[in-house]
PDB file of all heavy atoms in Angstrom:
ATOM      1  N   TRP A 116      90.518  96.418  93.112  1.00  0.00           N
ATOM      2  CA  TRP A 116      91.735  96.596  92.332  1.00  0.00           C
ATOM      3  C   TRP A 116      91.744  97.990  91.740  1.00  0.00           C
ATOM      4  O   TRP A 116      90.716  98.463  91.267  1.00  0.00           O
ATOM      5  CB  TRP A 116      91.772  95.540  91.216  1.00  0.00           C
ATOM      6  CG  TRP A 116      93.025  95.552  90.425  1.00  0.00           C
ATOM      7  CD1 TRP A 116      93.229  96.166  89.230  1.00  0.00           C
ATOM      8  CD2 TRP A 116      94.255  94.925  90.760  1.00  0.00           C
ATOM      9  NE1 TRP A 116      94.506  95.968  88.799  1.00  0.00           N
ATOM     10  CE2 TRP A 116      95.162  95.194  89.733  1.00  0.00           C
ATOM     11  CE3 TRP A 116      94.677  94.161  91.834  1.00  0.00           C
ATOM     12  CZ2 TRP A 116      96.476  94.732  89.740  1.00  0.00           C
ATOM     13  CZ3 TRP A 116      95.987  93.700  91.841  1.00  0.00           C
ATOM     14  CH2 TRP A 116      96.864  93.973  90.804  1.00  0.00           C
ATOM     15  N   LEU A 117      92.893  98.655  91.750  1.00  0.00           N
ATOM     16  CA  LEU A 117      93.024  99.986  91.158  1.00  0.00           C
ATOM     17  C   LEU A 117      93.984  99.942  89.988  1.00  0.00           C
ATOM     18  O   LEU A 117      94.963  99.192  90.008  1.00  0.00           O
ATOM     19  CB  LEU A 117      93.559 100.989  92.189  1.00  0.00           C
ATOM     20  CG  LEU A 117      92.737 101.164  93.453  1.00  0.00           C
ATOM     21  CD1 LEU A 117      93.418 102.150  94.388  1.00  0.00           C
ATOM     22  CD2 LEU A 117      91.332 101.634  93.125  1.00  0.00           C
ATOM     23  N   THR A 118      93.708 100.768  88.986  1.00  0.00           N
ATOM     24  CA  THR A 118      94.584 100.895  87.848  1.00  0.00           C
ATOM     25  C   THR A 118      95.208 102.290  87.887  1.00  0.00           C
ATOM     26  O   THR A 118      94.492 103.287  88.018  1.00  0.00           O
ATOM     27  CB  THR A 118      93.795 100.705  86.531  1.00  0.00           C
ATOM     28  OG1 THR A 118      93.174  99.416  86.563  1.00  0.00           O
ATOM     29  CG2 THR A 118      94.702 100.799  85.326  1.00  0.00           C
ATOM     30  N   ILE A 119      96.515 102.351  87.778  1.00  0.00           N
ATOM     31  CA  ILE A 119      97.211 103.630  87.836  1.00  0.00           C
ATOM     32  C   ILE A 119      96.688 104.563  86.755  1.00  0.00           C
ATOM     33  O   ILE A 119      96.507 104.178  85.605  1.00  0.00           O
ATOM     34  CB  ILE A 119      98.734 103.418  87.668  1.00  0.00           C
ATOM     35  CG1 ILE A 119      99.266 102.623  88.858  1.00  0.00           C
ATOM     36  CG2 ILE A 119      99.463 104.754  87.540  1.00  0.00           C
ATOM     37  CD1 ILE A 119     100.716 102.227  88.741  1.00  0.00           C
ATOM     38  N   GLY A 120      96.388 105.798  87.157  1.00  0.00           N
ATOM     39  CA  GLY A 120      95.919 106.817  86.229  1.00  0.00           C
ATOM     40  C   GLY A 120      94.422 106.816  85.997  1.00  0.00           C
ATOM     41  O   GLY A 120      93.915 107.687  85.285  1.00  0.00           O
ATOM     42  N   LYS A 121      93.715 105.869  86.548  1.00  0.00           N
ATOM     43  CA  LYS A 121      92.264 105.788  86.367  1.00  0.00           C
ATOM     44  C   LYS A 121      91.547 106.305  87.601  1.00  0.00           C
ATOM     45  O   LYS A 121      92.007 106.154  88.723  1.00  0.00           O
ATOM     46  CB  LYS A 121      91.826 104.346  86.100  1.00  0.00           C
ATOM     47  CG  LYS A 121      92.432 103.736  84.860  1.00  0.00           C
ATOM     48  CD  LYS A 121      91.914 104.419  83.611  1.00  0.00           C
ATOM     49  CE  LYS A 121      92.493 103.751  82.376  1.00  0.00           C
ATOM     50  NZ  LYS A 121      92.098 104.392  81.155  1.00  0.00           N
ATOM     51  N   THR A 122      90.385 106.908  87.398  1.00  0.00           N
ATOM     52  CA  THR A 122      89.551 107.399  88.493  1.00  0.00           C
ATOM     53  C   THR A 122      88.800 106.222  89.118  1.00  0.00           C
ATOM     54  O   THR A 122      88.435 105.273  88.433  1.00  0.00           O
ATOM     55  CB  THR A 122      88.537 108.427  87.946  1.00  0.00           C
ATOM     56  OG1 THR A 122      89.265 109.497  87.350  1.00  0.00           O
ATOM     57  CG2 THR A 122      87.651 108.979  89.043  1.00  0.00           C
ATOM     58  N   PHE A 123      88.567 106.310  90.427  1.00  0.00           N
ATOM     59  CA  PHE A 123      87.795 105.290  91.110  1.00  0.00           C
ATOM     60  C   PHE A 123      86.932 105.952  92.181  1.00  0.00           C
ATOM     61  O   PHE A 123      87.197 107.068  92.603  1.00  0.00           O
ATOM     62  CB  PHE A 123      88.696 104.207  91.729  1.00  0.00           C
ATOM     63  CG  PHE A 123      89.636 104.726  92.777  1.00  0.00           C
ATOM     64  CD1 PHE A 123      89.282 104.689  94.117  1.00  0.00           C
ATOM     65  CD2 PHE A 123      90.868 105.263  92.424  1.00  0.00           C
ATOM     66  CE1 PHE A 123      90.150 105.164  95.089  1.00  0.00           C
ATOM     67  CE2 PHE A 123      91.734 105.735  93.399  1.00  0.00           C
ATOM     68  CZ  PHE A 123      91.372 105.690  94.732  1.00  0.00           C
ATOM     69  N   ASN A 124      85.888 105.267  92.602  1.00  0.00           N
ATOM     70  CA  ASN A 124      84.973 105.784  93.614  1.00  0.00           C
ATOM     71  C   ASN A 124      85.081 104.982  94.905  1.00  0.00           C
ATOM     72  O   ASN A 124      85.292 103.775  94.878  1.00  0.00           O
ATOM     73  CB  ASN A 124      83.518 105.713  93.119  1.00  0.00           C
ATOM     74  CG  ASN A 124      83.280 106.666  91.953  1.00  0.00           C
ATOM     75  OD1 ASN A 124      83.686 107.816  91.996  1.00  0.00           O
ATOM     76  ND2 ASN A 124      82.632 106.159  90.919  1.00  0.00           N
ATOM     77  N   VAL A 125      84.920 105.702  96.012  1.00  0.00           N
ATOM     78  CA  VAL A 125      84.879 105.089  97.325  1.00  0.00           C
ATOM     79  C   VAL A 125      83.658 105.653  98.033  1.00  0.00           C
ATOM     80  O   VAL A 125      83.423 106.856  98.006  1.00  0.00           O
ATOM     81  CB  VAL A 125      86.153 105.414  98.142  1.00  0.00           C
ATOM     82  CG1 VAL A 125      86.045 104.890  99.565  1.00  0.00           C
ATOM     83  CG2 VAL A 125      87.387 104.847  97.459  1.00  0.00           C
ATOM     84  N   GLN A 126      82.874 104.786  98.654  1.00  0.00           N
ATOM     85  CA  GLN A 126      81.727 105.237  99.438  1.00  0.00           C
ATOM     86  C   GLN A 126      82.007 104.962 100.906  1.00  0.00           C
ATOM     87  O   GLN A 126      82.594 103.938 101.256  1.00  0.00           O
ATOM     88  CB  GLN A 126      80.456 104.509  98.997  1.00  0.00           C
ATOM     89  CG  GLN A 126      80.050 104.838  97.578  1.00  0.00           C
ATOM     90  CD  GLN A 126      78.834 104.037  97.150  1.00  0.00           C
ATOM     91  OE1 GLN A 126      78.291 103.235  97.893  1.00  0.00           O
ATOM     92  NE2 GLN A 126      78.416 104.252  95.913  1.00  0.00           N
ATOM     93  N   ALA A 127      81.598 105.915 101.751  1.00  0.00           N
ATOM     94  CA  ALA A 127      81.829 105.768 103.189  1.00  0.00           C
ATOM     95  C   ALA A 127      80.625 106.256 103.960  1.00  0.00           C
ATOM     96  O   ALA A 127      79.858 107.107 103.481  1.00  0.00           O
ATOM     97  CB  ALA A 127      83.065 106.547 103.604  1.00  0.00           C
ATOM     98  N   SER A 128      80.447 105.708 105.154  1.00  0.00           N
ATOM     99  CA  SER A 128      79.388 106.168 106.040  1.00  0.00           C
ATOM    100  C   SER A 128      80.045 106.800 107.257  1.00  0.00           C
ATOM    101  O   SER A 128      81.214 106.582 107.540  1.00  0.00           O
ATOM    102  CB  SER A 128      78.504 104.998 106.477  1.00  0.00           C
ATOM    103  OG  SER A 128      79.254 104.084 107.252  1.00  0.00           O
ATOM    104  N   GLY A 129      79.281 107.576 107.983  1.00  0.00           N
ATOM    105  CA  GLY A 129      79.801 108.241 109.174  1.00  0.00           C
ATOM    106  C   GLY A 129      79.422 109.701 109.153  1.00  0.00           C
ATOM    107  O   GLY A 129      78.868 110.212 108.191  1.00  0.00           O
ATOM    108  N   SER A 130      79.751 110.384 110.234  1.00  0.00           N
ATOM    109  CA  SER A 130      79.387 111.797 110.327  1.00  0.00           C
ATOM    110  C   SER A 130      80.420 112.656 109.613  1.00  0.00           C
ATOM    111  O   SER A 130      81.616 112.430 109.701  1.00  0.00           O
ATOM    112  CB  SER A 130      79.290 112.220 111.799  1.00  0.00           C
ATOM    113  OG  SER A 130      80.540 112.065 112.420  1.00  0.00           O
ATOM    114  N   GLY A 131      79.935 113.650 108.879  1.00  0.00           N
ATOM    115  CA  GLY A 131      80.819 114.587 108.187  1.00  0.00           C
ATOM    116  C   GLY A 131      81.462 113.967 106.970  1.00  0.00           C
ATOM    117  O   GLY A 131      81.427 112.763 106.758  1.00  0.00           O
ATOM    118  N   GLY A 132      82.046 114.808 106.164  1.00  0.00           N
ATOM    119  CA  GLY A 132      82.734 114.343 104.969  1.00  0.00           C
ATOM    120  C   GLY A 132      84.214 114.142 105.254  1.00  0.00           C
ATOM    121  O   GLY A 132      84.765 114.690 106.199  1.00  0.00           O
ATOM    122  N   ALA A 133      84.845 113.360 104.422  1.00  0.00           N
ATOM    123  CA  ALA A 133      86.279 113.131 104.567  1.00  0.00           C
ATOM    124  C   ALA A 133      87.028 114.321 103.987  1.00  0.00           C
ATOM    125  O   ALA A 133      86.691 114.824 102.923  1.00  0.00           O
ATOM    126  CB  ALA A 133      86.679 111.852 103.854  1.00  0.00           C
ATOM    127  N   SER A 134      88.052 114.785 104.694  1.00  0.00           N
ATOM    128  CA  SER A 134      88.865 115.888 104.191  1.00  0.00           C
ATOM    129  C   SER A 134      90.078 115.387 103.424  1.00  0.00           C
ATOM    130  O   SER A 134      90.747 116.143 102.730  1.00  0.00           O
ATOM    131  CB  SER A 134      89.318 116.786 105.348  1.00  0.00           C
ATOM    132  OG  SER A 134      90.114 116.048 106.244  1.00  0.00           O
ATOM    133  N   ARG A 135      90.376 114.091 103.562  1.00  0.00           N
ATOM    134  CA  ARG A 135      91.547 113.529 102.902  1.00  0.00           C
ATOM    135  C   ARG A 135      91.361 112.020 102.782  1.00  0.00           C
ATOM    136  O   ARG A 135      90.833 111.378 103.677  1.00  0.00           O
ATOM    137  CB  ARG A 135      92.789 113.835 103.728  1.00  0.00           C
ATOM    138  CG  ARG A 135      94.070 113.266 103.171  1.00  0.00           C
ATOM    139  CD  ARG A 135      95.234 113.513 104.137  1.00  0.00           C
ATOM    140  NE  ARG A 135      96.432 112.911 103.624  1.00  0.00           N
ATOM    141  CZ  ARG A 135      97.458 113.585 103.129  1.00  0.00           C
ATOM    142  NH1 ARG A 135      97.417 114.899 103.117  1.00  0.00           N
ATOM    143  NH2 ARG A 135      98.507 112.967 102.680  1.00  0.00           N
ATOM    144  N   VAL A 136      91.836 111.464 101.700  1.00  0.00           N
ATOM    145  CA  VAL A 136      91.869 110.021 101.513  1.00  0.00           C
ATOM    146  C   VAL A 136      93.319 109.643 101.267  1.00  0.00           C
ATOM    147  O   VAL A 136      94.000 110.262 100.453  1.00  0.00           O
ATOM    148  CB  VAL A 136      90.992 109.581 100.321  1.00  0.00           C
ATOM    149  CG1 VAL A 136      91.158 108.095 100.042  1.00  0.00           C
ATOM    150  CG2 VAL A 136      89.538 109.922 100.581  1.00  0.00           C
ATOM    151  N   THR A 137      93.798 108.649 101.987  1.00  0.00           N
ATOM    152  CA  THR A 137      95.182 108.206 101.842  1.00  0.00           C
ATOM    153  C   THR A 137      95.188 106.715 101.548  1.00  0.00           C
ATOM    154  O   THR A 137      94.594 105.935 102.288  1.00  0.00           O
ATOM    155  CB  THR A 137      95.980 108.479 103.135  1.00  0.00           C
ATOM    156  OG1 THR A 137      95.929 109.863 103.434  1.00  0.00           O
ATOM    157  CG2 THR A 137      97.421 108.045 102.989  1.00  0.00           C
ATOM    158  N   LEU A 138      95.847 106.326 100.480  1.00  0.00           N
ATOM    159  CA  LEU A 138      96.008 104.914 100.174  1.00  0.00           C
ATOM    160  C   LEU A 138      97.199 104.405 100.979  1.00  0.00           C
ATOM    161  O   LEU A 138      98.265 105.026 100.986  1.00  0.00           O
ATOM    162  CB  LEU A 138      96.259 104.703  98.684  1.00  0.00           C
ATOM    163  CG  LEU A 138      95.137 105.165  97.763  1.00  0.00           C
ATOM    164  CD1 LEU A 138      95.539 104.927  96.301  1.00  0.00           C
ATOM    165  CD2 LEU A 138      93.846 104.454  98.074  1.00  0.00           C
ATOM    166  N   VAL A 139      97.025 103.295 101.675  1.00  0.00           N
ATOM    167  CA  VAL A 139      98.063 102.759 102.535  1.00  0.00           C
ATOM    168  C   VAL A 139      98.536 101.423 101.979  1.00  0.00           C
ATOM    169  O   VAL A 139      97.739 100.521 101.764  1.00  0.00           O
ATOM    170  CB  VAL A 139      97.536 102.560 103.983  1.00  0.00           C
ATOM    171  CG1 VAL A 139      98.608 101.938 104.853  1.00  0.00           C
ATOM    172  CG2 VAL A 139      97.062 103.874 104.559  1.00  0.00           C
ATOM    173  N   LYS A 140      99.821 101.332 101.752  1.00  0.00           N
ATOM    174  CA  LYS A 140     100.421 100.067 101.344  1.00  0.00           C
ATOM    175  C   LYS A 140     101.002  99.422 102.592  1.00  0.00           C
ATOM    176  O   LYS A 140     101.581 100.114 103.434  1.00  0.00           O
ATOM    177  CB  LYS A 140     101.535 100.304 100.322  1.00  0.00           C
ATOM    178  CG  LYS A 140     102.204  99.023  99.874  1.00  0.00           C
ATOM    179  CD  LYS A 140     103.464  99.334  99.082  1.00  0.00           C
ATOM    180  CE  LYS A 140     104.199  98.102  98.688  1.00  0.00           C
ATOM    181  NZ  LYS A 140     104.627  97.249  99.766  1.00  0.00           N
TER     182      LYS A 140
END
């Protein structure tokens, strides 16, 4: 669950770092 205006963390595995994160509704 996310709260508008609050920071949150996401962890991911795989090669290289993510250049962009997009929330999809």
Side-chain angles (χ1 to χ4, degrees):
W116 185 263
L117 302 178
T118 302
I119 295 174
K121 300 293 182 183
T122 301
F123 62 94
N124 293 314
V125 174
Q126 295 177 0
S128 65
S130 62
S134 62
R135 178 185 177 108
V136 174
T137 302
L138 298 178
V139 177
K140 179 191 177 301

